[in-house]
Amino acid sequence: MTSPAGVQTITPHLSQARESVPSARPAVALCALAMVAEGFDTYSVGYAAPIIIREWGASPTMIGNLFAASVVASAIGTMGIGVIADRFGRKPCLIVALVVFGLATLITAHVANMAELAAVRILSSLALGASVPSAIALACDAVTPSRRAATAALLSASIAIGIVASGLAAAALVPDHGWQSLMYVGGLFALVLALPILKLVREPVHEATAALGPSHNVGALFAPVYRRATLVLLFVMTTIYATSFFFNFWLPSLLLRHDPDMQKVALANALAQTFSLAGALLTGWAMDRNGLRALAAIFAVTAIVLTAAVGLPGSFVGLVLGCCCICLCINGAFGGALAAPVQVYPQEMRATALGFTIGLARLIGGSLGPLAGGWLLAWNLPTIAVAVAFGPFLLLSAAALFLYARRA
């Protein structure tokens, strides 16, 4: 069966057609807060990086390698959890992930050298990665089909809220209490959040689809009916992960090169990330109405904006304004990319699809972005100039999405 928006689907479940879940609002809200915790924990390290470089004598390349190792660990966690969540439940997987990365984040505040920091951040990142497909699948199961792209985009936007919160917390806490204070806030928030999820969120009932056969494995994603969609989504997600992670990981360091005031930079980054929230929500709304064609348009616009960003003015204010535009487009495309598997795959294999596509894209694209940032800063090159290199890949992603939606 093919939807009018060009999204390929399997025979619809009766439960989806008449779905009205009383616990939808608390489920979506709590899963969104889990993504806030993910965004806060992941990107608070970006504010710690300049201080660690100064206090520990670490080089930008070493920090870039740490970022890349964290991305690899989170990708492994994401890919590994999908099949487990579809088989044994998304709710218990999300709770365990929150507890593990909450404890690991608290431990991060007490490390004394780069080796200890790397070890605990890898553990934290494994759990962070596991939380993403579990939360998205759990939230999307609680809403009607016509709201699933918007719900997935909301959860993606919630990561941006976590980034904004980390910036505000950095501005308020780091100057007087050090970067370790961010780890305490992020770790405690994740641990406290696990209890209401346990009490208030209901695990959905999955209905088997005979046409799929065993769907709790990655091989089902490459069955003839899904092969083209899986390959397109992998390329699209890899592209947007590389682009997004480059800017999100290194944006504080980029701004600090223009102004050494940490409070000012943290607030500027928080302002820029606020536009990420608007971009993701607008993309999800458009995808619920026009499917993958809307996402193709967002990718094309993002390529144009990034290419134009090479000519940003040199002043700090001009740079911040440019970063706001970049965050609006990049994270709008990012939120839409995370919503795409929700529209393409059915319920009983949704966490598997989210885990595999997000995890592999995060492993490849997410590793390249932070590494590129470390190299460019170490070479003292203008970081924003790399934007022009992402443009062609974003345009290819737009073309692939449009052609898939048209053929489907």
Side-chain angles (χ1 to χ4, degrees):
M1 176 175 168
T2 304
S3 71
V7 180
Q8 207 170 32
T9 61
I10 292 295
T11 304
H13 308 294
L14 291 176
S15 62
Q16 292 177 346
R18 58 175 181 264
E19 194 170 11
S20 178
V21 183
S23 61
R25 286 185 178 178
V28 172
L30 289 169
C31 288
L33 287 174
M35 294 298 92
V36 171
E38 198 268 357
F40 186 100
D41 186 86
T42 299
Y43 294 101
S44 61
V45 180
Y47 296 104
I51 303 173
I52 291 173
I53 290 173
R54 184 176 68 249
E55 294 182 354
W56 292 5
S59 68
T61 302
M62 292 172 64
I63 298 297
N65 290 337
L66 174 61
F67 286 164
S70 299
V71 170
V72 171
S74 67
I76 293 172
T78 303
M79 286 190 289
I81 202 64
V83 174
I84 298 173
D86 274 338
R87 187 180 295 272
F88 299 107
R90 291 89 187 261
K91 177 180 170 179
C93 289
L94 178 58
I95 292 171
V96 171
L98 286 170
V99 170
V100 171
F101 87 68
L103 291 174
T105 302
L106 290 177
I107 295 172
T108 303
H110 298 278
V111 298
N113 52 58
M114 285 298 297
E116 293 179 1
L117 179 62
V120 76
R121 289 309 298 172
I122 287 173
L123 175 61
S124 175
S125 297
L126 281 167
L128 282 169
S131 70
V132 174
S134 302
I136 294 177
L138 191 59
C140 289
D141 284 343
V143 300
T144 57
S146 62
R147 295 171 53 198
R148 287 201 179 121
T151 299
L154 172 64
L155 264 67
S156 171
S158 298
I159 297 176
I161 295 174
I163 299 172
V164 172
S166 69
L168 296 174
L173 298 175
V174 170
D176 295 327
H177 303 286
W179 63 268
Q180 291 89 346
S181 59
L182 293 177
M183 304 299 116
Y184 284 118
V185 172
L188 289 173
F189 180 63
L191 290 174
V192 169
L193 186 59
L195 182 60
I197 291 177
L198 176 65
K199 296 293 186 181
L200 300 177
V201 177
R202 189 173 69 191
E203 184 73 34
V205 177
H206 296 187
E207 295 187 19
T209 303
L212 285 175
S215 59
H216 300 303
N217 61 75
V218 173
L221 302 179
F222 293 93
V225 69
Y226 291 120
R227 186 181 301 120
R228 184 184 294 114
T230 301
L231 294 175
V232 168
L233 292 182
L234 281 174
F235 177 73
V236 168
M237 286 187 173
T238 299
T239 299
I240 199 59
Y241 260 105
T243 308
S244 176
F245 272 45
F246 173 82
F247 284 100
N248 285 331
F249 268 112
W250 287 108
L251 192 55
S253 295
L254 169 64
L255 295 174
L256 282 169
R257 294 176 68 181
H258 291 262
D259 193 312
D261 187 337
M262 171 61 81
Q263 272 190 311
K264 188 176 177 181
V265 164
L267 290 172
N269 188 40
L271 174 63
Q273 294 296 346
T274 302
F275 284 77
S276 303
L277 174 62
L281 293 177
L282 286 172
T283 302
W285 175 83
M287 287 179 66
D288 273 332
R289 285 152 182 78
N290 298 289
L292 297 184
R293 292 187 184 90
L295 184 57
I298 296 296
F299 267 77
V301 171
T302 303
I304 296 171
V305 169
L306 285 183
T307 303
V310 176
L312 282 173
S315 68
F316 183 79
V317 173
L319 188 65
V320 171
L321 291 174
C323 289
C324 288
C325 295
I326 289 171
C327 286
L328 175 71
C329 294
I330 288 180
N331 290 295
F334 183 82
L338 264 61
V342 174
Q343 289 192 324
V344 172
Y345 302 98
Q347 183 193 49
E348 71 276 356
M349 63 187 296
R350 194 170 292 146
T352 298
L354 285 164
F356 179 75
T357 55
I358 293 174
L360 187 57
R362 191 167 184 160
L363 178 63
I364 300 172
S367 299
L368 291 177
L371 281 174
W375 294 332
L376 289 169
L377 288 178
W379 296 338
N380 204 31
L381 296 176
T383 313
I384 201 66
V386 79
V388 71
F390 291 106
F393 293 100
L394 291 166
L395 288 175
L396 284 174
S397 295
L401 284 167
F402 180 78
L403 290 174
Y404 170 74
R406 185 177 180 182
R407 293 187 66 177

mmCIF file of all heavy atoms in Angstrom, residues 5 145-155 157 277-295 298 332 335-336 339 343:
data_model
loop_
_atom_site.group_PDB
_atom_site.id
_atom_site.type_symbol
_atom_site.label_atom_id
_atom_site.label_comp_id
_atom_site.label_asym_id
_atom_site.label_seq_id
_atom_site.Cartn_x
_atom_site.Cartn_y
_atom_site.Cartn_z
ATOM 1 N N ALA A 5 1.487 10.721 0.340
ATOM 2 C CA ALA A 5 2.691 11.528 0.517
ATOM 3 C C ALA A 5 3.917 10.839 -0.038
ATOM 4 O O ALA A 5 5.005 11.348 0.017
ATOM 5 C CB ALA A 5 2.896 11.831 2.004
ATOM 6 N N PRO A 145 -1.500 7.900 13.724
ATOM 7 C CA PRO A 145 -0.573 7.940 12.592
ATOM 8 C C PRO A 145 -0.382 9.326 11.994
ATOM 9 O O PRO A 145 0.707 9.658 11.526
ATOM 10 C CB PRO A 145 -1.215 6.981 11.579
ATOM 11 C CG PRO A 145 -1.999 6.025 12.420
ATOM 12 C CD PRO A 145 -2.507 6.831 13.574
ATOM 13 N N SER A 146 -1.414 10.167 12.013
ATOM 14 C CA SER A 146 -1.317 11.493 11.404
ATOM 15 C C SER A 146 -0.451 12.456 12.198
ATOM 16 O O SER A 146 -0.150 13.554 11.727
ATOM 17 C CB SER A 146 -2.714 12.100 11.250
ATOM 18 O OG SER A 146 -3.324 12.276 12.525
ATOM 19 N N ARG A 147 -0.018 12.039 13.378
ATOM 20 C CA ARG A 147 0.804 12.920 14.217
ATOM 21 C C ARG A 147 2.182 12.342 14.475
ATOM 22 O O ARG A 147 2.944 12.886 15.280
ATOM 23 C CB ARG A 147 0.099 13.159 15.556
ATOM 24 C CG ARG A 147 -1.213 13.932 15.441
ATOM 25 C CD ARG A 147 -1.952 13.943 16.768
ATOM 26 N NE ARG A 147 -1.137 14.418 17.858
ATOM 27 C CZ ARG A 147 -1.400 14.218 19.147
ATOM 28 N NH1 ARG A 147 -2.467 13.510 19.496
ATOM 29 N NH2 ARG A 147 -0.620 14.694 20.090
ATOM 30 N N ARG A 148 2.528 11.249 13.799
ATOM 31 C CA ARG A 148 3.778 10.575 14.147
ATOM 32 C C ARG A 148 5.022 11.347 13.712
ATOM 33 O O ARG A 148 6.014 11.395 14.442
ATOM 34 C CB ARG A 148 3.782 9.166 13.556
ATOM 35 C CG ARG A 148 2.842 8.253 14.303
ATOM 36 C CD ARG A 148 3.154 6.791 14.110
ATOM 37 N NE ARG A 148 2.196 6.021 14.890
ATOM 38 C CZ ARG A 148 1.360 5.125 14.386
ATOM 39 N NH1 ARG A 148 1.361 4.887 13.097
ATOM 40 N NH2 ARG A 148 0.534 4.477 15.161
ATOM 41 N N ALA A 149 5.006 11.934 12.524
ATOM 42 C CA ALA A 149 6.181 12.700 12.093
ATOM 43 C C ALA A 149 6.391 13.904 13.002
ATOM 44 O O ALA A 149 7.528 14.212 13.391
ATOM 45 C CB ALA A 149 6.015 13.152 10.640
ATOM 46 N N ALA A 150 5.308 14.578 13.356
ATOM 47 C CA ALA A 150 5.424 15.726 14.255
ATOM 48 C C ALA A 150 5.934 15.297 15.630
ATOM 49 O O ALA A 150 6.732 16.004 16.262
ATOM 50 C CB ALA A 150 4.084 16.437 14.388
ATOM 51 N N THR A 151 5.481 14.120 16.099
ATOM 52 C CA THR A 151 5.934 13.619 17.398
ATOM 53 C C THR A 151 7.416 13.278 17.370
ATOM 54 O O THR A 151 8.173 13.635 18.282
ATOM 55 C CB THR A 151 5.119 12.383 17.804
ATOM 56 O OG1 THR A 151 3.735 12.740 17.910
ATOM 57 C CG2 THR A 151 5.591 11.829 19.140
ATOM 58 N N ALA A 152 7.851 12.585 16.308
ATOM 59 C CA ALA A 152 9.273 12.259 16.181
ATOM 60 C C ALA A 152 10.115 13.523 16.069
ATOM 61 O O ALA A 152 11.196 13.617 16.659
ATOM 62 C CB ALA A 152 9.493 11.367 14.965
ATOM 63 N N ALA A 153 9.620 14.507 15.321
ATOM 64 C CA ALA A 153 10.340 15.775 15.200
ATOM 65 C C ALA A 153 10.384 16.505 16.531
ATOM 66 O O ALA A 153 11.377 17.163 16.867
ATOM 67 C CB ALA A 153 9.697 16.645 14.129
ATOM 68 N N LEU A 154 9.291 16.413 17.307
ATOM 69 C CA LEU A 154 9.272 17.024 18.639
ATOM 70 C C LEU A 154 10.362 16.432 19.518
ATOM 71 O O LEU A 154 11.059 17.158 20.245
ATOM 72 C CB LEU A 154 7.906 16.816 19.287
ATOM 73 C CG LEU A 154 7.797 17.226 20.763
ATOM 74 C CD1 LEU A 154 8.011 18.726 20.921
ATOM 75 C CD2 LEU A 154 6.442 16.822 21.335
ATOM 76 N N LEU A 155 10.526 15.106 19.460
ATOM 77 C CA LEU A 155 11.571 14.483 20.261
ATOM 78 C C LEU A 155 12.957 14.907 19.786
ATOM 79 O O LEU A 155 13.864 15.118 20.595
ATOM 80 C CB LEU A 155 11.430 12.958 20.237
ATOM 81 C CG LEU A 155 10.663 12.401 21.446
ATOM 82 C CD1 LEU A 155 9.202 12.825 21.425
ATOM 83 C CD2 LEU A 155 10.778 10.889 21.514
ATOM 84 N N ALA A 157 13.542 17.797 18.387
ATOM 85 C CA ALA A 157 13.654 19.180 18.858
ATOM 86 C C ALA A 157 13.959 19.227 20.346
ATOM 87 O O ALA A 157 14.594 20.171 20.827
ATOM 88 C CB ALA A 157 12.360 19.926 18.563
ATOM 89 N N LEU A 277 14.845 24.256 17.586
ATOM 90 C CA LEU A 277 13.519 23.800 18.015
ATOM 91 C C LEU A 277 12.470 24.181 16.980
ATOM 92 O O LEU A 277 11.655 23.345 16.565
ATOM 93 C CB LEU A 277 13.186 24.419 19.374
ATOM 94 C CG LEU A 277 11.792 24.180 19.931
ATOM 95 C CD1 LEU A 277 11.550 22.705 20.153
ATOM 96 C CD2 LEU A 277 11.613 24.948 21.237
ATOM 97 N N ALA A 278 12.495 25.426 16.522
ATOM 98 C CA ALA A 278 11.524 25.874 15.519
ATOM 99 C C ALA A 278 11.684 25.097 14.216
ATOM 100 O O ALA A 278 10.699 24.690 13.591
ATOM 101 C CB ALA A 278 11.687 27.374 15.263
ATOM 102 N N GLY A 279 12.926 24.858 13.801
ATOM 103 C CA GLY A 279 13.168 24.136 12.552
ATOM 104 C C GLY A 279 12.629 22.722 12.582
ATOM 105 O O GLY A 279 11.989 22.261 11.635
ATOM 106 N N ALA A 280 12.868 21.999 13.693
ATOM 107 C CA ALA A 280 12.403 20.612 13.798
ATOM 108 C C ALA A 280 10.881 20.536 13.834
ATOM 109 O O ALA A 280 10.272 19.681 13.175
ATOM 110 C CB ALA A 280 12.995 19.956 15.044
ATOM 111 N N LEU A 281 10.244 21.422 14.581
ATOM 112 C CA LEU A 281 8.782 21.397 14.678
ATOM 113 C C LEU A 281 8.127 21.736 13.341
ATOM 114 O O LEU A 281 7.134 21.107 12.938
ATOM 115 C CB LEU A 281 8.311 22.362 15.758
ATOM 116 C CG LEU A 281 8.689 21.987 17.195
ATOM 117 C CD1 LEU A 281 8.234 23.060 18.171
ATOM 118 C CD2 LEU A 281 8.107 20.637 17.584
ATOM 119 N N LEU A 282 8.662 22.708 12.625
ATOM 120 C CA LEU A 282 8.113 23.062 11.312
ATOM 121 C C LEU A 282 8.292 21.912 10.319
ATOM 122 O O LEU A 282 7.395 21.624 9.515
ATOM 123 C CB LEU A 282 8.796 24.329 10.786
ATOM 124 C CG LEU A 282 8.375 25.646 11.459
ATOM 125 C CD1 LEU A 282 9.267 26.786 10.993
ATOM 126 C CD2 LEU A 282 6.912 25.956 11.176
ATOM 127 N N THR A 283 9.428 21.243 10.378
ATOM 128 C CA THR A 283 9.672 20.118 9.475
ATOM 129 C C THR A 283 8.714 18.971 9.759
ATOM 130 O O THR A 283 8.148 18.370 8.838
ATOM 131 C CB THR A 283 11.126 19.635 9.598
ATOM 132 O OG1 THR A 283 12.009 20.718 9.296
ATOM 133 C CG2 THR A 283 11.402 18.489 8.637
ATOM 134 N N GLY A 284 8.518 18.632 11.046
ATOM 135 C CA GLY A 284 7.589 17.562 11.390
ATOM 136 C C GLY A 284 6.170 17.871 10.952
ATOM 137 O O GLY A 284 5.461 17.006 10.422
ATOM 138 N N TRP A 285 5.737 19.113 11.150
ATOM 139 C CA TRP A 285 4.406 19.537 10.711
ATOM 140 C C TRP A 285 4.262 19.390 9.196
ATOM 141 O O TRP A 285 3.252 18.888 8.695
ATOM 142 C CB TRP A 285 4.179 20.991 11.127
ATOM 143 C CG TRP A 285 2.907 21.589 10.626
ATOM 144 C CD1 TRP A 285 1.661 21.475 11.172
ATOM 145 C CD2 TRP A 285 2.746 22.408 9.457
ATOM 146 N NE1 TRP A 285 0.743 22.173 10.426
ATOM 147 C CE2 TRP A 285 1.366 22.751 9.373
ATOM 148 C CE3 TRP A 285 3.622 22.888 8.486
ATOM 149 C CZ2 TRP A 285 0.867 23.547 8.341
ATOM 150 C CZ3 TRP A 285 3.126 23.685 7.462
ATOM 151 C CH2 TRP A 285 1.769 24.003 7.392
ATOM 152 N N ALA A 286 5.283 19.807 8.449
ATOM 153 C CA ALA A 286 5.234 19.712 6.987
ATOM 154 C C ALA A 286 5.234 18.259 6.524
ATOM 155 O O ALA A 286 4.538 17.889 5.566
ATOM 156 C CB ALA A 286 6.409 20.459 6.376
ATOM 157 N N MET A 287 5.982 17.382 7.211
ATOM 158 C CA MET A 287 6.056 15.978 6.808
ATOM 159 C C MET A 287 4.743 15.242 7.073
ATOM 160 O O MET A 287 4.384 14.330 6.320
ATOM 161 C CB MET A 287 7.211 15.288 7.522
ATOM 162 C CG MET A 287 8.578 15.693 7.006
ATOM 163 S SD MET A 287 9.909 14.856 7.902
ATOM 164 C CE MET A 287 9.624 13.141 7.423
ATOM 165 N N ASP A 288 4.025 15.603 8.122
ATOM 166 C CA ASP A 288 2.731 14.971 8.365
ATOM 167 C C ASP A 288 1.732 15.309 7.267
ATOM 168 O O ASP A 288 0.735 14.607 7.093
ATOM 169 C CB ASP A 288 2.179 15.403 9.729
ATOM 170 C CG ASP A 288 2.689 14.516 10.862
ATOM 171 O OD1 ASP A 288 2.987 13.338 10.602
ATOM 172 O OD2 ASP A 288 2.791 15.013 11.998
ATOM 173 N N ARG A 289 1.986 16.373 6.523
ATOM 174 C CA ARG A 289 1.083 16.783 5.439
ATOM 175 C C ARG A 289 1.606 16.413 4.056
ATOM 176 O O ARG A 289 0.819 16.132 3.158
ATOM 177 C CB ARG A 289 0.852 18.297 5.534
ATOM 178 C CG ARG A 289 -0.085 18.660 6.665
ATOM 179 C CD ARG A 289 0.154 20.034 7.228
ATOM 180 N NE ARG A 289 -0.774 20.286 8.347
ATOM 181 C CZ ARG A 289 -0.594 19.796 9.574
ATOM 182 N NH1 ARG A 289 0.456 19.044 9.824
ATOM 183 N NH2 ARG A 289 -1.469 20.044 10.534
ATOM 184 N N ASN A 290 2.916 16.419 3.867
ATOM 185 C CA ASN A 290 3.473 16.174 2.535
ATOM 186 C C ASN A 290 4.527 15.072 2.494
ATOM 187 O O ASN A 290 5.195 14.910 1.469
ATOM 188 C CB ASN A 290 4.079 17.481 1.990
ATOM 189 C CG ASN A 290 3.041 18.570 1.827
ATOM 190 O OD1 ASN A 290 2.193 18.504 0.947
ATOM 191 N ND2 ASN A 290 3.084 19.570 2.695
ATOM 192 N N GLY A 291 4.714 14.341 3.575
ATOM 193 C CA GLY A 291 5.607 13.203 3.574
ATOM 194 C C GLY A 291 7.057 13.563 3.284
ATOM 195 O O GLY A 291 7.538 14.649 3.648
ATOM 196 N N LEU A 292 7.753 12.672 2.611
ATOM 197 C CA LEU A 292 9.183 12.845 2.377
ATOM 198 C C LEU A 292 9.496 13.957 1.385
ATOM 199 O O LEU A 292 10.638 14.423 1.322
ATOM 200 C CB LEU A 292 9.789 11.527 1.888
ATOM 201 C CG LEU A 292 9.706 10.360 2.877
ATOM 202 C CD1 LEU A 292 10.429 9.146 2.318
ATOM 203 C CD2 LEU A 292 10.282 10.746 4.239
ATOM 204 N N ARG A 293 8.526 14.393 0.604
ATOM 205 C CA ARG A 293 8.761 15.523 -0.293
ATOM 206 C C ARG A 293 9.101 16.780 0.507
ATOM 207 O O ARG A 293 9.939 17.591 0.101
ATOM 208 C CB ARG A 293 7.539 15.759 -1.177
ATOM 209 C CG ARG A 293 7.276 14.659 -2.202
ATOM 210 C CD ARG A 293 6.150 15.070 -3.150
ATOM 211 N NE ARG A 293 5.822 14.003 -4.087
ATOM 212 C CZ ARG A 293 4.931 13.062 -3.880
ATOM 213 N NH1 ARG A 293 4.249 13.037 -2.746
ATOM 214 N NH2 ARG A 293 4.694 12.121 -4.779
ATOM 215 N N ALA A 294 8.424 16.967 1.622
ATOM 216 C CA ALA A 294 8.714 18.124 2.476
ATOM 217 C C ALA A 294 10.131 18.048 3.017
ATOM 218 O O ALA A 294 10.848 19.050 3.070
ATOM 219 C CB ALA A 294 7.709 18.187 3.622
ATOM 220 N N LEU A 295 10.568 16.851 3.408
ATOM 221 C CA LEU A 295 11.921 16.685 3.918
ATOM 222 C C LEU A 295 12.955 16.966 2.825
ATOM 223 O O LEU A 295 14.004 17.564 3.084
ATOM 224 C CB LEU A 295 12.104 15.272 4.473
ATOM 225 C CG LEU A 295 13.457 14.969 5.135
ATOM 226 C CD1 LEU A 295 13.733 15.937 6.276
ATOM 227 C CD2 LEU A 295 13.486 13.525 5.644
ATOM 228 N N ILE A 298 13.445 20.651 2.606
ATOM 229 C CA ILE A 298 14.223 21.170 3.735
ATOM 230 C C ILE A 298 15.716 20.936 3.507
ATOM 231 O O ILE A 298 16.551 21.808 3.787
ATOM 232 C CB ILE A 298 13.776 20.498 5.045
ATOM 233 C CG1 ILE A 298 12.317 20.857 5.363
ATOM 234 C CG2 ILE A 298 14.686 20.895 6.198
ATOM 235 C CD1 ILE A 298 12.082 22.320 5.635
ATOM 236 N N GLY A 332 16.347 21.422 11.621
ATOM 237 C CA GLY A 332 15.080 21.107 10.985
ATOM 238 C C GLY A 332 15.208 19.868 10.115
ATOM 239 O O GLY A 332 14.378 18.952 10.168
ATOM 240 N N GLY A 335 15.723 16.789 12.449
ATOM 241 C CA GLY A 335 14.475 16.300 13.041
ATOM 242 C C GLY A 335 13.622 15.558 12.035
ATOM 243 O O GLY A 335 13.024 14.524 12.343
ATOM 244 N N GLY A 336 13.580 16.065 10.805
ATOM 245 C CA GLY A 336 12.820 15.382 9.766
ATOM 246 C C GLY A 336 13.406 14.036 9.410
ATOM 247 O O GLY A 336 12.677 13.062 9.164
ATOM 248 N N ALA A 339 12.376 11.563 11.856
ATOM 249 C CA ALA A 339 10.956 11.240 11.733
ATOM 250 C C ALA A 339 10.670 10.327 10.544
ATOM 251 O O ALA A 339 9.644 9.634 10.528
ATOM 252 C CB ALA A 339 10.141 12.533 11.587
ATOM 253 N N GLN A 343 7.502 7.141 9.533
ATOM 254 C CA GLN A 343 6.511 7.142 8.465
ATOM 255 C C GLN A 343 6.660 5.938 7.538
ATOM 256 O O GLN A 343 5.699 5.523 6.904
ATOM 257 C CB GLN A 343 6.630 8.429 7.645
ATOM 258 C CG GLN A 343 6.163 9.680 8.376
ATOM 259 C CD GLN A 343 6.028 10.864 7.446
ATOM 260 O OE1 GLN A 343 6.793 11.044 6.520
ATOM 261 N NE2 GLN A 343 5.027 11.701 7.702
#
